């Protein structure tokens, strides 16, 4: 089999393809071989990577779906083409091989293809990592992607998949350091080098290095103005530092640059809405929910969009806003995922909606299904986590919904420093910090009431000048007078 060598993504655009440029031999200097006889398959692989880093369905390249269909047609036996297509479906966490026979068969076929061909060691490792991830073994999958990066630090597929894997595990230091290790190998002239700023800045902010994170993200935006992930990093920094007005101004000033990144746009709007919740401007937050977040969620079915919609309603409900009709609408999106159990983080967000929509039968089904997997988790790390964290979190949310605030506190408080393991960002997991605070404030237990005030003092220490913290402290004092 002839082995073509891939350029870093972005080297080729649709216009160049149409010009019939003979590219494979120009790619050899990049050192990332692709085992395929199809020049077109190589171009499509680049196109998918390009869109992945941009968080954008680029219609000039055919969009994700168009490119993934075309790459299989160009060379059905192209191993890395199968890896990227199947891997993206797995990493999106909207389904899994356990419940999706077609996806399970895609994984099985890719593994079989790798065994039947003389492919490179790098490609073989990619297949191993994809298979491990499909089995719920995120830790070992990330270790394999890291092995690839040691030998091939400019392999963007390994870097991005490892980044996502660490995110799902709440592995904040590896999330940061994985990118730091490869940065010296990237030169400014290399295509898409600027997008590493967004990846690195996210790791920095998740390890509380907010000023450095903002600096790196802004440097990335100076290189690539429409880098939605760098915008996203700055949004996080403003959220975690409670710099609400700065965050609002920044998101509005950059909206035309990032809203075209359709895969991430809803999430960036979610950050925008959080500023309004922080300020207590609930109508503005609901306007963003209706016009952007839920609209996009219904259209895409994306898991990121779905958990954002769920979380925003849950936060607003804790603030005393009536969102029951919106819960019922959102339940139509989350209900089909009640048997997924891909990540604990997703399951807890589905539970928010099921509880909010008063769907008791679905709530019971969701929790019992998770309990069954927790009792027999096998090598699936998320199902193992269900037993040590997930079930307690589910019970706490159900107790809170039933008005048993003291029981909710007793379940949540021992878990507060373990919640990191469910994955997501600090900003996303903050909804559970707020749940504990609200439960403690509403509890009839005097110790819990004091605990609630202590938690607010703690929150004010690491997030000073927060309008929400001040508002909650005033409410706590009024309730406990």
């Amino acid at each position: 089999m002839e082995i073509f060598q891939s350029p870093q993504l972005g080297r080729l655009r649709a216009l160049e393809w149409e010009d019939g440029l003979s590219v494979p031999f120009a790619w050899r200097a990049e050192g990332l071989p692709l085992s395929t006889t199809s020049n077109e398959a190589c171009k499509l692989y680049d196109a998918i990577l390009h869109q992945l880093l941009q968080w954008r369905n680029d219609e000039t390249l055919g969009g994700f779906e168009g490119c993934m269909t075309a790459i299989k047609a160009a060379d059905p036996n192209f191993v890395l083409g199968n890896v990227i297509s199947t891997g993206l479906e797995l990493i999106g966490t909207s389904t899994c091989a356990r419940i999706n026979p077609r996806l399970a068969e895609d994984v099985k076929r890719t593994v079989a293809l790798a065994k039947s061909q003389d492919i490179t060691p790098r490609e073989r490792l990619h297949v191993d990592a994809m298979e491990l991830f499909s089995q719920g073994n995120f830790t070992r999958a990330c270790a394999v992607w890291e092995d690839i990066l040691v030998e091939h630090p400019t392999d963007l597929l390994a870097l991005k998949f490892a980044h996502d894997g660490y995110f799902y595990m709440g592995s904040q230091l590896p999330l940061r350091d994985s990118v730091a290790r490869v940065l010296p190998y990237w030169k400014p002239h290399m295509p898409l080098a600027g997008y590493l700023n967004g990846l690195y800045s996210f790791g920095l902010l998740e390890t509380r290095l907010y000023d450095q994170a903002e600096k790196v993200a802004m440097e990335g935006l100076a290189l690539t103005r429409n880098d939605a992930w760098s915008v996203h990093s700055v949004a996080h920094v403003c959220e975690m530092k409670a710099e609400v007005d700065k965050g609002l101004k920044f998101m509005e000033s950059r909206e035309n640059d990032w809203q075209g990144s359709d895969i991430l746009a809803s999430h960036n709007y979610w950050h925008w809405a959080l500023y309004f919740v922080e300020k207590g401007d609930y109508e503005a937050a609901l306007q963003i929910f209706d016009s952007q977040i839920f609209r996009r969620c219904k259209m895409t079915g994306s898991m990121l969009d779905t958990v954002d919609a769920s979380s925003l309603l849950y936060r607003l409900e804790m603030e005393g806003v009536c969102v029951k009709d919106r819960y019922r609408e959102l339940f139509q999106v989350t209900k089909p995922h009640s048997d997924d159990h891909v990540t604990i983080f997703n399951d807890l967000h589905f539970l928010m909606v099921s509880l909010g929509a008063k769907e008791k039968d679905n709530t019971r089904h969701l929790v019992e299904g998770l309990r069954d997997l927790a009792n027999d988790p096998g090598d699936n790390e998320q199902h193992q986590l269900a037993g040590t964290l997930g079930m307690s979190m589910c019970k706490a949310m159900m107790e809170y919904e039933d008005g048993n605030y003291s029981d909710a506190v007793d379940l949540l408080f021992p878990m507060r420093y373990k919640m990191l393991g469910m994955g997501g960002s600090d900003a996303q997991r903050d909804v559970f910090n707020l749940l504990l605070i609200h439960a403690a404030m509403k509890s009839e237990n005097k110790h819990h009431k004091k605990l609630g005030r202590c938690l607010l003092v703690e929150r004010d220490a690491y997030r000073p000048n927060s309008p929400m913290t001040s508002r909650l402290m005033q409410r706590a004092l009024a309730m406990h007078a």
Side-chain angles (χ1 to χ4, degrees):
M1 175 181 292
E2 183 178 1
I3 296 180
F4 291 155
Q5 299 209 10
S6 168
Q8 265 325 321
L9 56 126
R11 177 72 56 85
L12 303 173
R13 298 310 304 268
L15 180 60
E16 294 175 317
W17 300 3
E18 291 166 2
D19 287 344
L21 182 64
S22 179
V23 293
F25 301 105
W27 299 351
R28 297 189 185 280
E30 300 295 338
L32 298 172
L34 298 178
S35 301
T36 177
T37 58
S38 171
N39 183 26
E40 185 68 12
C42 293
K43 295 174 181 178
L44 289 161
Y45 178 82
D46 267 0
I48 296 169
L49 276 175
H50 184 91
Q51 294 168 95
L52 179 61
L53 267 289
Q54 285 198 331
W55 294 81
R56 179 192 305 262
N57 275 289
D58 189 335
E59 295 306 323
T60 68
L61 299 176
F64 277 105
E65 289 296 329
C67 286
M68 287 192 289
T69 298
I71 201 170
K72 291 178 181 178
D75 183 355
N77 298 323
F78 175 25
V79 171
L80 214 52
N82 282 272
V83 165
I84 195 170
S85 298
T86 304
L88 282 173
E89 189 167 7
L90 291 166
I91 215 87
T93 72
S94 291
T95 186
C96 64
R98 181 180 59 83
I99 62 166
N100 186 330
R102 192 266 311 153
L103 182 56
E105 182 58 32
D106 287 347
V107 173
K108 182 179 178 181
R109 180 176 183 274
T110 303
V111 172
L113 280 174
K115 290 179 179 178
S116 68
Q117 296 182 25
D118 182 19
I119 58 176
T120 65
R122 178 181 73 94
E123 291 169 309
R124 202 169 299 283
L125 286 173
H126 267 295
V127 174
D128 292 344
M130 179 212 65
E131 185 179 22
L132 287 165
F133 191 90
S134 76
Q135 297 165 350
N137 200 325
F138 297 175
T139 300
R140 288 183 61 197
C142 286
V144 175
W145 284 317
E146 290 293 355
D147 285 343
I148 294 172
L149 290 169
V150 168
E151 300 295 334
H152 304 278
T154 59
D155 187 324
L156 276 171
L157 185 62
L159 183 65
K160 184 64 170 66
F161 277 0
H163 197 72
D164 292 341
Y166 291 135
F167 175 77
Y168 290 138
M169 294 187 292
S171 300
Q172 294 170 317
L173 289 170
L175 180 79
R176 179 194 69 194
D177 296 344
S178 176
V179 184
R181 285 191 291 271
V182 303
L183 281 174
Y185 298 92
W186 284 82
K187 307 305 177 187
H189 69 275
M190 296 174 69
L192 294 186
Y195 285 92
L196 268 70
N197 285 65
L199 297 175
Y200 188 45
S201 64
F202 186 63
L204 289 168
L205 72 90
E206 285 300 299
T207 50
R208 320 295 194 275
L209 299 173
Y210 298 128
D211 292 344
Q212 188 179 354
E214 183 175 1
K215 178 177 180 292
V216 171
M218 293 306 296
E219 289 172 352
L221 288 170
L223 295 169
T224 311
R225 185 174 179 83
N226 65 352
D227 179 6
W229 196 243
S230 283
V231 168
H232 164 260
S233 290
V234 177
H236 265 273
V237 170
C238 293
E239 164 69 12
M240 300 313 296
K241 295 173 71 174
E243 295 177 338
V244 180
D245 292 334
K246 176 181 175 180
L248 286 169
K249 183 178 179 181
F250 176 78
M251 296 302 282
E252 183 176 5
S253 68
R254 295 275 182 167
E255 184 179 12
N256 289 336
D257 297 326
W258 56 259
Q259 68 177 181
S261 294
D262 56 304
I263 309 299
L264 191 63
S266 182
H267 186 64
N268 278 349
Y269 278 115
W270 176 79
H271 278 285
W272 195 337
L274 289 191
Y275 298 137
F276 286 123
V277 176
E278 177 77 38
K279 291 183 71 172
D281 190 346
Y282 307 129
E283 285 302 317
L286 285 171
Q287 194 279 327
I288 292 177
F289 177 89
D290 293 336
S291 66
Q292 296 292 346
I293 297 171
F294 184 54
R295 177 181 67 82
R296 292 171 182 267
C297 174
K298 286 192 297 183
M299 182 173 60
T300 67
S302 154
M303 196 48 56
L304 179 58
D305 295 355
T306 301
V307 298
D308 284 344
S310 306
S311 172
L312 183 55
L313 291 186
Y314 204 67
R315 291 164 189 251
L316 287 165
E317 185 178 48
M318 284 191 286
E319 289 285 302
V321 180
C322 180
V323 291
K324 60 182 181 181
D325 290 339
R326 290 179 174 87
Y327 268 136
R328 292 191 187 107
E329 289 186 276
L330 183 56
F331 179 68
Q332 302 308 312
V333 179
T334 61
K335 182 181 179 181
H337 295 286
S338 298
D339 292 317
D340 289 2
H341 305 301
V342 182
T343 69
I344 296 300
F345 183 83
N346 291 354
D347 280 344
L348 294 178
H349 284 76
F350 301 152
L351 183 58
M352 292 175 190
V353 179
S354 189
L355 291 169
K358 312 301 181 188
E359 294 285 347
K360 292 185 178 180
D361 288 344
N362 186 79
T363 295
R364 187 181 308 109
H365 176 78
L366 177 78
V367 175
E368 288 178 355
L370 185 61
R371 182 186 296 117
D372 289 343
L373 292 169
N375 289 335
D376 186 18
D379 293 330
N380 189 302
E381 294 172 339
Q382 291 295 310
H383 299 164
Q384 294 167 7
L385 190 66
T388 58
L389 173 67
M391 291 308 302
S392 293
M393 295 294 296
C394 289
K395 291 175 185 175
M397 293 168 66
M398 294 165 71
E399 295 292 356
Y400 184 89
E401 174 67 20
D402 290 339
N404 301 322
Y405 304 118
S406 178
D407 290 340
V409 174
D410 288 339
L411 286 162
L412 282 171
F413 188 68
M415 296 287 109
R416 64 186 305 239
Y417 291 121
K418 299 177 183 179
M419 293 180 192
L420 179 62
M422 76 172 69
S425 66
D426 285 343
Q428 288 175 310
R429 285 188 309 275
D430 193 46
V431 67
F432 301 108
N433 297 328
L434 292 170
L435 177 62
L436 173 58
I437 289 170
H438 280 277
M441 287 169 54
K442 292 181 177 181
S443 173
E444 294 300 320
N445 184 307
K446 289 184 179 180
H447 177 73
H448 289 169
K449 294 179 188 293
K450 291 180 180 178
L451 173 64
R453 294 194 294 272
C454 288
L455 291 171
L456 287 168
V457 170
E458 171 195 295
R459 189 178 182 86
D460 185 59
Y462 71 80
R463 204 173 189 163
N465 305 312
S466 160
M468 179 185 286
T469 304
S470 298
R471 192 166 64 246
L472 289 173
M473 183 64 81
Q474 291 172 5
R475 189 183 303 175
L477 293 173
M479 291 172 66
H480 305 161

